[in-house]
Amino acid sequence: MNLPKKYNLITVVTVFTVTLFFGCESNFKEVQKINFSEFVPGTDADTVNIKYTDSGRITGVLKSRKMLDYSGVDFPFTEFPKGIDVTLYDKKQKRTFIVANYAVSYKETGIIDLQGKVKITSEEGQMLETEQLYFDQKNEWFYTERKFKLTDAKGVSNGQGIDFSKDFKVINSQRVSGEIEAGEE
């Protein structure tokens, strides 16, 4: 049986394409392995106690049971998968205490992402509780769009969305409810 030359050519091209496709598959997987880089921390530390200073004055103390430093990646960050306990000091040495179940500090932006039962307390007794809170280190400013509970001497308020200075002197909150004592003027 003689097939026309057209079918003969189609058969040869099909066989060649299938051979080429399966022959290159193993090489492609090898090339993928070459470009694969394992995502591992440059530093892995247990039980850390870091003191931050400015001109010889302590500005903060960070304690954590686990710290993973990814400073060798394109967007460097430090992760605290077992939570953090931080004490911030202002210029008059008044303290603000921060506790969270998890935290990530991004080096390039100076933003810290606090997650899981975040609780901030001032020496004056003001306390904020939420599930996620961001801290802008450069501006010393906290913010979240999550639900929060704010407790102080005037009462308790709940809401969704808040931003405030690290000393609680400036507070901007949204969608607030609760019982707060009104100030007299």
mmCIF file with all atom_site columns, all heavy atoms in Angstrom, residues 71-89:
data_model
loop_
_atom_site.group_PDB
_atom_site.id
_atom_site.type_symbol
_atom_site.label_atom_id
_atom_site.label_alt_id
_atom_site.label_comp_id
_atom_site.label_asym_id
_atom_site.label_entity_id
_atom_site.label_seq_id
_atom_site.pdbx_PDB_ins_code
_atom_site.Cartn_x
_atom_site.Cartn_y
_atom_site.Cartn_z
_atom_site.occupancy
_atom_site.B_iso_or_equiv
_atom_site.pdbx_formal_charge
_atom_site.auth_seq_id
_atom_site.auth_comp_id
_atom_site.auth_asym_id
_atom_site.auth_atom_id
_atom_site.pdbx_PDB_model_num
ATOM 1   N N   . SER A 1 71 ? 17.884 38.131 55.679 1.00 0.00 ? 71 SER A N   1
ATOM 2   C CA  . SER A 1 71 ? 18.522 39.339 55.149 1.00 0.00 ? 71 SER A CA  1
ATOM 3   C C   . SER A 1 71 ? 19.161 39.095 53.783 1.00 0.00 ? 71 SER A C   1
ATOM 4   O O   . SER A 1 71 ? 19.523 40.050 53.106 1.00 0.00 ? 71 SER A O   1
ATOM 5   C CB  . SER A 1 71 ? 19.556 39.881 56.134 1.00 0.00 ? 71 SER A CB  1
ATOM 6   O OG  . SER A 1 71 ? 20.503 38.876 56.439 1.00 0.00 ? 71 SER A OG  1
ATOM 7   N N   . GLY A 1 72 ? 19.272 37.855 53.338 1.00 0.00 ? 72 GLY A N   1
ATOM 8   C CA  . GLY A 1 72 ? 19.895 37.549 52.056 1.00 0.00 ? 72 GLY A CA  1
ATOM 9   C C   . GLY A 1 72 ? 18.932 37.476 50.885 1.00 0.00 ? 72 GLY A C   1
ATOM 10  O O   . GLY A 1 72 ? 19.332 37.176 49.769 1.00 0.00 ? 72 GLY A O   1
ATOM 11  N N   . VAL A 1 73 ? 17.658 37.773 51.100 1.00 0.00 ? 73 VAL A N   1
ATOM 12  C CA  . VAL A 1 73 ? 16.676 37.714 50.017 1.00 0.00 ? 73 VAL A CA  1
ATOM 13  C C   . VAL A 1 73 ? 16.473 39.105 49.412 1.00 0.00 ? 73 VAL A C   1
ATOM 14  O O   . VAL A 1 73 ? 16.931 40.105 49.961 1.00 0.00 ? 73 VAL A O   1
ATOM 15  C CB  . VAL A 1 73 ? 15.331 37.128 50.509 1.00 0.00 ? 73 VAL A CB  1
ATOM 16  C CG1 . VAL A 1 73 ? 15.518 35.697 50.995 1.00 0.00 ? 73 VAL A CG1 1
ATOM 17  C CG2 . VAL A 1 73 ? 14.708 37.977 51.596 1.00 0.00 ? 73 VAL A CG2 1
ATOM 18  N N   . ASP A 1 74 ? 15.760 39.170 48.287 1.00 0.00 ? 74 ASP A N   1
ATOM 19  C CA  . ASP A 1 74 ? 15.553 40.445 47.591 1.00 0.00 ? 74 ASP A CA  1
ATOM 20  C C   . ASP A 1 74 ? 14.812 41.476 48.443 1.00 0.00 ? 74 ASP A C   1
ATOM 21  O O   . ASP A 1 74 ? 15.084 42.663 48.367 1.00 0.00 ? 74 ASP A O   1
ATOM 22  C CB  . ASP A 1 74 ? 14.783 40.228 46.287 1.00 0.00 ? 74 ASP A CB  1
ATOM 23  C CG  . ASP A 1 74 ? 15.624 39.508 45.242 1.00 0.00 ? 74 ASP A CG  1
ATOM 24  O OD1 . ASP A 1 74 ? 16.872 39.544 45.355 1.00 0.00 ? 74 ASP A OD1 1
ATOM 25  O OD2 . ASP A 1 74 ? 15.049 38.915 44.318 1.00 0.00 ? 74 ASP A OD2 1
ATOM 26  N N   . PHE A 1 75 ? 13.848 41.046 49.237 1.00 0.00 ? 75 PHE A N   1
ATOM 27  C CA  . PHE A 1 75 ? 13.098 41.946 50.119 1.00 0.00 ? 75 PHE A CA  1
ATOM 28  C C   . PHE A 1 75 ? 13.326 41.448 51.545 1.00 0.00 ? 75 PHE A C   1
ATOM 29  O O   . PHE A 1 75 ? 12.545 40.665 52.082 1.00 0.00 ? 75 PHE A O   1
ATOM 30  C CB  . PHE A 1 75 ? 11.610 41.920 49.743 1.00 0.00 ? 75 PHE A CB  1
ATOM 31  C CG  . PHE A 1 75 ? 10.798 42.987 50.394 1.00 0.00 ? 75 PHE A CG  1
ATOM 32  C CD1 . PHE A 1 75 ? 10.977 44.321 50.074 1.00 0.00 ? 75 PHE A CD1 1
ATOM 33  C CD2 . PHE A 1 75 ? 9.836  42.663 51.327 1.00 0.00 ? 75 PHE A CD2 1
ATOM 34  C CE1 . PHE A 1 75 ? 10.227 45.310 50.673 1.00 0.00 ? 75 PHE A CE1 1
ATOM 35  C CE2 . PHE A 1 75 ? 9.069  43.640 51.930 1.00 0.00 ? 75 PHE A CE2 1
ATOM 36  C CZ  . PHE A 1 75 ? 9.268  44.972 51.601 1.00 0.00 ? 75 PHE A CZ  1
ATOM 37  N N   . PRO A 1 76 ? 14.433 41.862 52.198 1.00 0.00 ? 76 PRO A N   1
ATOM 38  C CA  . PRO A 1 76 ? 14.842 41.302 53.487 1.00 0.00 ? 76 PRO A CA  1
ATOM 39  C C   . PRO A 1 76 ? 13.839 41.544 54.621 1.00 0.00 ? 76 PRO A C   1
ATOM 40  O O   . PRO A 1 76 ? 13.219 42.604 54.689 1.00 0.00 ? 76 PRO A O   1
ATOM 41  C CB  . PRO A 1 76 ? 16.170 41.982 53.775 1.00 0.00 ? 76 PRO A CB  1
ATOM 42  C CG  . PRO A 1 76 ? 16.309 43.087 52.819 1.00 0.00 ? 76 PRO A CG  1
ATOM 43  C CD  . PRO A 1 76 ? 15.328 42.914 51.730 1.00 0.00 ? 76 PRO A CD  1
ATOM 44  N N   . PHE A 1 77 ? 13.714 40.533 55.476 1.00 0.00 ? 77 PHE A N   1
ATOM 45  C CA  . PHE A 1 77 ? 12.822 40.637 56.632 1.00 0.00 ? 77 PHE A CA  1
ATOM 46  C C   . PHE A 1 77 ? 13.311 39.727 57.745 1.00 0.00 ? 77 PHE A C   1
ATOM 47  O O   . PHE A 1 77 ? 14.138 38.839 57.538 1.00 0.00 ? 77 PHE A O   1
ATOM 48  C CB  . PHE A 1 77 ? 11.382 40.282 56.242 1.00 0.00 ? 77 PHE A CB  1
ATOM 49  C CG  . PHE A 1 77 ? 11.184 38.857 55.815 1.00 0.00 ? 77 PHE A CG  1
ATOM 50  C CD1 . PHE A 1 77 ? 10.758 37.894 56.707 1.00 0.00 ? 77 PHE A CD1 1
ATOM 51  C CD2 . PHE A 1 77 ? 11.420 38.477 54.497 1.00 0.00 ? 77 PHE A CD2 1
ATOM 52  C CE1 . PHE A 1 77 ? 10.555 36.585 56.306 1.00 0.00 ? 77 PHE A CE1 1
ATOM 53  C CE2 . PHE A 1 77 ? 11.222 37.173 54.082 1.00 0.00 ? 77 PHE A CE2 1
ATOM 54  C CZ  . PHE A 1 77 ? 10.795 36.219 54.989 1.00 0.00 ? 77 PHE A CZ  1
ATOM 55  N N   . THR A 1 78 ? 12.799 39.982 58.951 1.00 0.00 ? 78 THR A N   1
ATOM 56  C CA  . THR A 1 78 ? 13.083 39.149 60.110 1.00 0.00 ? 78 THR A CA  1
ATOM 57  C C   . THR A 1 78 ? 11.747 38.652 60.636 1.00 0.00 ? 78 THR A C   1
ATOM 58  O O   . THR A 1 78 ? 10.812 39.425 60.813 1.00 0.00 ? 78 THR A O   1
ATOM 59  C CB  . THR A 1 78 ? 13.816 39.943 61.206 1.00 0.00 ? 78 THR A CB  1
ATOM 60  O OG1 . THR A 1 78 ? 15.013 40.490 60.652 1.00 0.00 ? 78 THR A OG1 1
ATOM 61  C CG2 . THR A 1 78 ? 14.173 39.059 62.376 1.00 0.00 ? 78 THR A CG2 1
ATOM 62  N N   . GLU A 1 79 ? 11.670 37.355 60.877 1.00 0.00 ? 79 GLU A N   1
ATOM 63  C CA  . GLU A 1 79 ? 10.423 36.729 61.312 1.00 0.00 ? 79 GLU A CA  1
ATOM 64  C C   . GLU A 1 79 ? 10.563 36.224 62.742 1.00 0.00 ? 79 GLU A C   1
ATOM 65  O O   . GLU A 1 79 ? 11.616 35.706 63.130 1.00 0.00 ? 79 GLU A O   1
ATOM 66  C CB  . GLU A 1 79 ? 10.106 35.557 60.372 1.00 0.00 ? 79 GLU A CB  1
ATOM 67  C CG  . GLU A 1 79 ? 8.841  34.826 60.707 1.00 0.00 ? 79 GLU A CG  1
ATOM 68  C CD  . GLU A 1 79 ? 8.570  33.660 59.761 1.00 0.00 ? 79 GLU A CD  1
ATOM 69  O OE1 . GLU A 1 79 ? 9.539  33.069 59.233 1.00 0.00 ? 79 GLU A OE1 1
ATOM 70  O OE2 . GLU A 1 79 ? 7.398  33.348 59.561 1.00 0.00 ? 79 GLU A OE2 1
ATOM 71  N N   . PHE A 1 80 ? 9.488  36.387 63.517 1.00 0.00 ? 80 PHE A N   1
ATOM 72  C CA  . PHE A 1 80 ? 9.432  35.902 64.894 1.00 0.00 ? 80 PHE A CA  1
ATOM 73  C C   . PHE A 1 80 ? 8.230  34.964 64.993 1.00 0.00 ? 80 PHE A C   1
ATOM 74  O O   . PHE A 1 80 ? 7.146  35.363 65.421 1.00 0.00 ? 80 PHE A O   1
ATOM 75  C CB  . PHE A 1 80 ? 9.298  37.081 65.864 1.00 0.00 ? 80 PHE A CB  1
ATOM 76  C CG  . PHE A 1 80 ? 10.438 38.052 65.777 1.00 0.00 ? 80 PHE A CG  1
ATOM 77  C CD1 . PHE A 1 80 ? 10.371 39.150 64.925 1.00 0.00 ? 80 PHE A CD1 1
ATOM 78  C CD2 . PHE A 1 80 ? 11.593 37.860 66.516 1.00 0.00 ? 80 PHE A CD2 1
ATOM 79  C CE1 . PHE A 1 80 ? 11.430 40.037 64.827 1.00 0.00 ? 80 PHE A CE1 1
ATOM 80  C CE2 . PHE A 1 80 ? 12.656 38.744 66.414 1.00 0.00 ? 80 PHE A CE2 1
ATOM 81  C CZ  . PHE A 1 80 ? 12.577 39.833 65.575 1.00 0.00 ? 80 PHE A CZ  1
ATOM 82  N N   . PRO A 1 81 ? 8.403  33.694 64.591 1.00 0.00 ? 81 PRO A N   1
ATOM 83  C CA  . PRO A 1 81 ? 7.270  32.771 64.502 1.00 0.00 ? 81 PRO A CA  1
ATOM 84  C C   . PRO A 1 81 ? 6.684  32.351 65.849 1.00 0.00 ? 81 PRO A C   1
ATOM 85  O O   . PRO A 1 81 ? 5.548  31.877 65.900 1.00 0.00 ? 81 PRO A O   1
ATOM 86  C CB  . PRO A 1 81 ? 7.850  31.568 63.755 1.00 0.00 ? 81 PRO A CB  1
ATOM 87  C CG  . PRO A 1 81 ? 9.310  31.626 64.010 1.00 0.00 ? 81 PRO A CG  1
ATOM 88  C CD  . PRO A 1 81 ? 9.646  33.082 64.132 1.00 0.00 ? 81 PRO A CD  1
ATOM 89  N N   . LYS A 1 82 ? 7.418  32.527 66.935 1.00 0.00 ? 82 LYS A N   1
ATOM 90  C CA  . LYS A 1 82 ? 6.910  32.146 68.255 1.00 0.00 ? 82 LYS A CA  1
ATOM 91  C C   . LYS A 1 82 ? 6.535  33.370 69.087 1.00 0.00 ? 82 LYS A C   1
ATOM 92  O O   . LYS A 1 82 ? 6.444  33.295 70.301 1.00 0.00 ? 82 LYS A O   1
ATOM 93  C CB  . LYS A 1 82 ? 7.931  31.277 68.985 1.00 0.00 ? 82 LYS A CB  1
ATOM 94  C CG  . LYS A 1 82 ? 8.129  29.934 68.318 1.00 0.00 ? 82 LYS A CG  1
ATOM 95  C CD  . LYS A 1 82 ? 9.007  29.035 69.118 1.00 0.00 ? 82 LYS A CD  1
ATOM 96  C CE  . LYS A 1 82 ? 9.134  27.675 68.430 1.00 0.00 ? 82 LYS A CE  1
ATOM 97  N NZ  . LYS A 1 82 ? 9.978  26.781 69.207 1.00 0.00 ? 82 LYS A NZ  1
ATOM 98  N N   . GLY A 1 83 ? 6.349  34.496 68.434 1.00 0.00 ? 83 GLY A N   1
ATOM 99  C CA  . GLY A 1 83 ? 5.871  35.688 69.118 1.00 0.00 ? 83 GLY A CA  1
ATOM 100 C C   . GLY A 1 83 ? 6.976  36.596 69.614 1.00 0.00 ? 83 GLY A C   1
ATOM 101 O O   . GLY A 1 83 ? 8.165  36.262 69.554 1.00 0.00 ? 83 GLY A O   1
ATOM 102 N N   . ILE A 1 84 ? 6.545  37.778 70.085 1.00 0.00 ? 84 ILE A N   1
ATOM 103 C CA  . ILE A 1 84 ? 7.479  38.759 70.623 1.00 0.00 ? 84 ILE A CA  1
ATOM 104 C C   . ILE A 1 84 ? 6.914  39.408 71.874 1.00 0.00 ? 84 ILE A C   1
ATOM 105 O O   . ILE A 1 84 ? 5.709  39.433 72.098 1.00 0.00 ? 84 ILE A O   1
ATOM 106 C CB  . ILE A 1 84 ? 7.827  39.873 69.598 1.00 0.00 ? 84 ILE A CB  1
ATOM 107 C CG1 . ILE A 1 84 ? 6.577  40.633 69.169 1.00 0.00 ? 84 ILE A CG1 1
ATOM 108 C CG2 . ILE A 1 84 ? 8.573  39.326 68.419 1.00 0.00 ? 84 ILE A CG2 1
ATOM 109 C CD1 . ILE A 1 84 ? 6.870  41.897 68.398 1.00 0.00 ? 84 ILE A CD1 1
ATOM 110 N N   . ASP A 1 85 ? 7.825  39.930 72.659 1.00 0.00 ? 85 ASP A N   1
ATOM 111 C CA  . ASP A 1 85 ? 7.512  40.731 73.845 1.00 0.00 ? 85 ASP A CA  1
ATOM 112 C C   . ASP A 1 85 ? 8.449  41.933 73.751 1.00 0.00 ? 85 ASP A C   1
ATOM 113 O O   . ASP A 1 85 ? 9.669  41.783 73.867 1.00 0.00 ? 85 ASP A O   1
ATOM 114 C CB  . ASP A 1 85 ? 7.773  39.903 75.100 1.00 0.00 ? 85 ASP A CB  1
ATOM 115 C CG  . ASP A 1 85 ? 7.362  40.611 76.372 1.00 0.00 ? 85 ASP A CG  1
ATOM 116 O OD1 . ASP A 1 85 ? 7.110  41.836 76.338 1.00 0.00 ? 85 ASP A OD1 1
ATOM 117 O OD2 . ASP A 1 85 ? 7.294  39.938 77.415 1.00 0.00 ? 85 ASP A OD2 1
ATOM 118 N N   . VAL A 1 86 ? 7.888  43.121 73.503 1.00 0.00 ? 86 VAL A N   1
ATOM 119 C CA  . VAL A 1 86 ? 8.697  44.316 73.261 1.00 0.00 ? 86 VAL A CA  1
ATOM 120 C C   . VAL A 1 86 ? 8.368  45.381 74.292 1.00 0.00 ? 86 VAL A C   1
ATOM 121 O O   . VAL A 1 86 ? 7.201  45.573 74.659 1.00 0.00 ? 86 VAL A O   1
ATOM 122 C CB  . VAL A 1 86 ? 8.427  44.889 71.846 1.00 0.00 ? 86 VAL A CB  1
ATOM 123 C CG1 . VAL A 1 86 ? 9.219  46.160 71.612 1.00 0.00 ? 86 VAL A CG1 1
ATOM 124 C CG2 . VAL A 1 86 ? 8.748  43.863 70.782 1.00 0.00 ? 86 VAL A CG2 1
ATOM 125 N N   . THR A 1 87 ? 9.393  46.088 74.733 1.00 0.00 ? 87 THR A N   1
ATOM 126 C CA  . THR A 1 87 ? 9.223  47.266 75.574 1.00 0.00 ? 87 THR A CA  1
ATOM 127 C C   . THR A 1 87 ? 9.846  48.440 74.835 1.00 0.00 ? 87 THR A C   1
ATOM 128 O O   . THR A 1 87 ? 11.029 48.406 74.502 1.00 0.00 ? 87 THR A O   1
ATOM 129 C CB  . THR A 1 87 ? 9.906  47.088 76.947 1.00 0.00 ? 87 THR A CB  1
ATOM 130 O OG1 . THR A 1 87 ? 9.392  45.918 77.571 1.00 0.00 ? 87 THR A OG1 1
ATOM 131 C CG2 . THR A 1 87 ? 9.658  48.291 77.839 1.00 0.00 ? 87 THR A CG2 1
ATOM 132 N N   . LEU A 1 88 ? 9.021  49.469 74.536 1.00 0.00 ? 88 LEU A N   1
ATOM 133 C CA  . LEU A 1 88 ? 9.514  50.679 73.882 1.00 0.00 ? 88 LEU A CA  1
ATOM 134 C C   . LEU A 1 88 ? 9.655  51.775 74.931 1.00 0.00 ? 88 LEU A C   1
ATOM 135 O O   . LEU A 1 88 ? 8.805  51.907 75.816 1.00 0.00 ? 88 LEU A O   1
ATOM 136 C CB  . LEU A 1 88 ? 8.540  51.145 72.799 1.00 0.00 ? 88 LEU A CB  1
ATOM 137 C CG  . LEU A 1 88 ? 8.281  50.190 71.643 1.00 0.00 ? 88 LEU A CG  1
ATOM 138 C CD1 . LEU A 1 88 ? 7.199  50.760 70.732 1.00 0.00 ? 88 LEU A CD1 1
ATOM 139 C CD2 . LEU A 1 88 ? 9.554  49.934 70.856 1.00 0.00 ? 88 LEU A CD2 1
ATOM 140 N N   . TYR A 1 89 ? 10.713 52.578 74.817 1.00 0.00 ? 89 TYR A N   1
ATOM 141 C CA  . TYR A 1 89 ? 10.957 53.684 75.741 1.00 0.00 ? 89 TYR A CA  1
ATOM 142 C C   . TYR A 1 89 ? 10.909 54.992 74.971 1.00 0.00 ? 89 TYR A C   1
ATOM 143 O O   . TYR A 1 89 ? 11.517 55.107 73.907 1.00 0.00 ? 89 TYR A O   1
ATOM 144 C CB  . TYR A 1 89 ? 12.335 53.548 76.387 1.00 0.00 ? 89 TYR A CB  1
ATOM 145 C CG  . TYR A 1 89 ? 12.498 52.317 77.250 1.00 0.00 ? 89 TYR A CG  1
ATOM 146 C CD1 . TYR A 1 89 ? 12.933 51.121 76.707 1.00 0.00 ? 89 TYR A CD1 1
ATOM 147 C CD2 . TYR A 1 89 ? 12.212 52.355 78.608 1.00 0.00 ? 89 TYR A CD2 1
ATOM 148 C CE1 . TYR A 1 89 ? 13.091 49.988 77.486 1.00 0.00 ? 89 TYR A CE1 1
ATOM 149 C CE2 . TYR A 1 89 ? 12.362 51.232 79.401 1.00 0.00 ? 89 TYR A CE2 1
ATOM 150 C CZ  . TYR A 1 89 ? 12.804 50.051 78.829 1.00 0.00 ? 89 TYR A CZ  1
ATOM 151 O OH  . TYR A 1 89 ? 12.947 48.933 79.604 1.00 0.00 ? 89 TYR A OH  1
#
